[in-house]
């Protein structure tokens, strides 16, 4: 916190600098998910670093998760205060573009290198991760070795998952099951239902239940154990390696067509894939950086999926509601 003398000096400078007030009035509003904006997430550090360069204020607005973010943007339409949407993923891109709310940003994303070499003129990847079942090694001695193992395993060993209607991890699991089971997905969900302790709106609630010991497994990411190894110095929580593959999430950010200061919005997107921001991602968002960045030694110990699963965004947009309806029907049956 600034001292009184520094505050007075700054206030005096404002009186004699004609453009200072205008600079301070520049605000960039970024809609994102709650864990990004948390004290331990990347939001506060990215905000602080970008504000050093922009003579502006970054205003993060958090919602439960990525799917809820797109839903909110649809509801608000062109009246939304958002300049940037950060936290959608490639599964939602076609649907997001169909709203007409986003526009190409013109940002050079040449530094971005993600699995599958995904590239887009509207949405820029800023991190990625493979979904995984994270388990408590003190409770689960024989973790599932495939999606089939998870679905048909011991129903007394519960898992917390997220709702695909509001959460990108929840949607990721929906697409993971669809990738492996295809038309048999409803039957798979009906079997998995008995292992599901609870379905939460977003990732934070589910992972919180897991770390409190209320459930021995949770849907998260292969990178999640790195947090515990780095910050807590323990390897109690681990990711189960699935022989039938892991579904990937590539998180993206895009500029709204009605952004109040498009140059400022573009500057933020450029900053997001720069070393200054990418170096923050691994040990705050606990995901893989989209551009080259140093990784802690703990990342070398993580599960490395041998097979990556991904359904195209157009196919997801066409079928998402039908697949969610399948999920709702299967999960509600007794």
């Amino acid at each position: 916190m600034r001292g009184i003398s520094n505050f007075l000096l700054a206030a005096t400078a404002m009186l004699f600098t004609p453009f200072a007030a205008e600079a301070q009035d520049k605000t960039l509003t970024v809609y994102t998910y709650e864990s990004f904006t948390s004290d331990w997430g990347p939001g506060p550090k990215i905000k602080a670093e970008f504000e050093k360069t922009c003579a502006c204020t970054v205003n993060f607005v958090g919602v439960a998760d990525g799917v809820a973010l797109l839903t909110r943007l649809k509801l608000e339409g062109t009246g939304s205060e958002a300049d940037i949407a950060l936290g959608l993923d490639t599964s939602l891109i076609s649907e997001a573009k169909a709203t007409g709310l986003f526009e190409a940003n013109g940002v050079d994303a040449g530094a971005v290198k993600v699995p599958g070499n995904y590239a887009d003129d509207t949405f820029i990847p800023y991190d990625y991760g493979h979904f995984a079942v994270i388990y408590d090694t003190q409770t689960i001695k024989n973790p599932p070795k495939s999606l089939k193992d998870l679905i048909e395993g011991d129903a007394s060993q519960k898992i917390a998952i997220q709702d695909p209607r509001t959460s990108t991890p929840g949607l990721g699991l929906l697409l993971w099951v669809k990738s492996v089971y295809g038309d048999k997905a409803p039957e798979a969900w009906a079997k998995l239902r008995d292992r599901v302790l609870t379905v939460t709106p977003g990732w934070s609630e589910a992972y919180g239940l897991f770390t409190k010991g209320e459930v021995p497994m949770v849907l998260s990411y292969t990178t999640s154990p790195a947090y515990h190894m780095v910050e807590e110095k323990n390897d109690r929580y681990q990711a189960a390696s699935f022989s039938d593959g892991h579904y990937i999430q590539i998180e993206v950010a895009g500029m709204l067509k009605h952004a109040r200061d498009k140059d400022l919005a573009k500057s933020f997107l450029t900053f997001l894939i720069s070393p200054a921001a990418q170096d923050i991602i691994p040990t705050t968002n606990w995901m893989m950086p989209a551009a080259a960045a140093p990784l802690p030694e703990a990342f070398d110990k993580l599960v490395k999926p041998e097979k990556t699963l991904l359904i195209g965004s157009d196919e997801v947009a066409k079928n998402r509601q039908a697949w969610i309806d399948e999920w709702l029907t299967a999960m509600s049956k007794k």
Side-chain angles (χ1 to χ4, degrees), residues 22 28 61 67 69 99 114 116 121 156 208 223 231 251 253 256 259 266-267 275 278 319 330:
E22 180 182 349
L28 182 75
V61 177
V67 180
L69 168 57
T99 66
V114 296
D121 64 356
S156 69
T223 47
E231 297 294 333
E251 295 192 297
L256 277 298
K266 291 176 183 180
S267 294
Q278 289 290 293
N319 295 289

Side-chain angles (χ1 to χ4, degrees), residues 227-274:
Y227 166 79
H228 303 285
M229 288 188 274
V230 173
E231 297 294 333
E232 299 174 350
K233 312 302 180 188
N234 77 68
D235 56 3
R236 174 178 174 178
Y237 305 118
Q238 293 297 320
S241 180
F242 279 12
S243 60
D244 44 9
H246 291 252
Y247 201 89
I248 192 171
Q249 180 182 46
I250 301 171
E251 295 192 297
V252 299
M255 179 178 69
L256 277 298
K257 191 175 291 185
H258 58 262
R260 289 158 294 185
D261 187 331
K262 292 185 179 179
D263 288 338
L264 181 60
K266 291 176 183 180
S267 294
F268 180 82
L269 292 175
T270 299
F271 173 80
L272 193 60
I273 56 174
S274 72

Side-chain angles (χ1 to χ4, degrees), residues 32-306:
T32 187
Y33 46 86
E34 289 175 347
S35 62
F36 194 93
T37 65
S38 66
D39 290 342
W40 47 267
K45 290 183 178 180
I46 286 177
K47 169 183 166 71
E49 289 301 313
F50 183 65
E51 285 180 348
K52 291 177 184 178
T53 72
C54 70
C56 72
T57 297
V58 176
N59 175 34
F60 281 116
V61 177
V63 296
D65 219 318
V67 180
L69 168 57
L70 180 56
T71 300
R72 176 165 176 171
L73 289 171
K74 285 180 176 181
L75 289 171
E76 293 180 349
T78 56
S80 175
E81 294 184 358
D83 301 303
I84 295 285
L86 185 159
L88 303 180
D89 65 19
T90 51
S91 298
L92 298 171
I93 285 174
S94 292
E95 194 171 335
K97 285 184 175 181
T99 66
L101 295 173
F102 293 88
E103 71 173 54
N105 52 61
V107 171
D108 180 3
V112 171
K113 302 293 180 186
V114 296
N117 296 316
Y118 168 83
D120 187 78
D121 64 356
T122 302
F123 292 98
I124 294 179
Y126 62 89
D127 69 18
Y128 70 92
H130 288 83
F131 292 115
V133 171
I134 306 299
Y135 67 98
D136 184 345
T137 61
Q138 293 184 7
T139 305
I140 305 288
K141 301 304 179 185
N142 294 300
K145 296 178 173 59
S146 66
L147 198 59
K148 184 175 185 292
D149 277 355
L150 174 69
I151 288 169
E152 299 181 2
D154 183 355
S156 69
Q157 295 180 333
K158 301 296 185 181
I159 184 171
I161 65 173
Q162 298 85 18
D163 193 324
R165 294 169 296 178
T166 54
S167 164
T168 50
L171 179 59
L173 180 59
L174 184 83
L175 301 178
W176 192 354
V177 172
K178 181 60 70 172
S179 296
V180 174
Y181 283 88
D183 292 342
K184 300 295 184 183
E187 291 92 327
W189 282 113
K191 291 179 181 178
L192 181 60
R193 182 185 63 237
D194 292 338
R195 293 198 81 167
V196 175
L197 176 70
T198 189
V199 178
T200 62
W203 176 88
S204 298
E205 300 95 329
Y207 208 80
L209 292 172
F210 173 68
T211 55
K212 290 175 183 176
E214 295 183 27
V215 63
M217 296 186 293
V218 65
L219 176 69
S220 192
Y221 300 87
T222 58
T223 47
S224 297
Y227 166 79
H228 303 285
M229 288 188 274
V230 173
E231 297 294 333
E232 299 174 350
K233 312 302 180 188
N234 77 68
D235 56 3
R236 174 178 174 178
Y237 305 118
Q238 293 297 320
S241 180
F242 279 12
S243 60
D244 44 9
H246 291 252
Y247 201 89
I248 192 171
Q249 180 182 46
I250 301 171
E251 295 192 297
V252 299
M255 179 178 69
L256 277 298
K257 191 175 291 185
H258 58 262
R260 289 158 294 185
D261 187 331
K262 292 185 179 179
D263 288 338
L264 181 60
K266 291 176 183 180
S267 294
F268 180 82
L269 292 175
T270 299
F271 173 80
L272 193 60
I273 56 174
S274 72
Q278 289 290 293
D279 288 357
I280 292 170
I281 292 291
T283 54
T284 54
N285 220 31
W286 301 98
M287 296 280 276
M288 299 297 294
L295 298 173
E297 183 180 346
F299 278 70
D300 294 333
K301 303 175 183 179
L302 301 175
V303 164
K304 306 293 192 297
E306 295 183 5

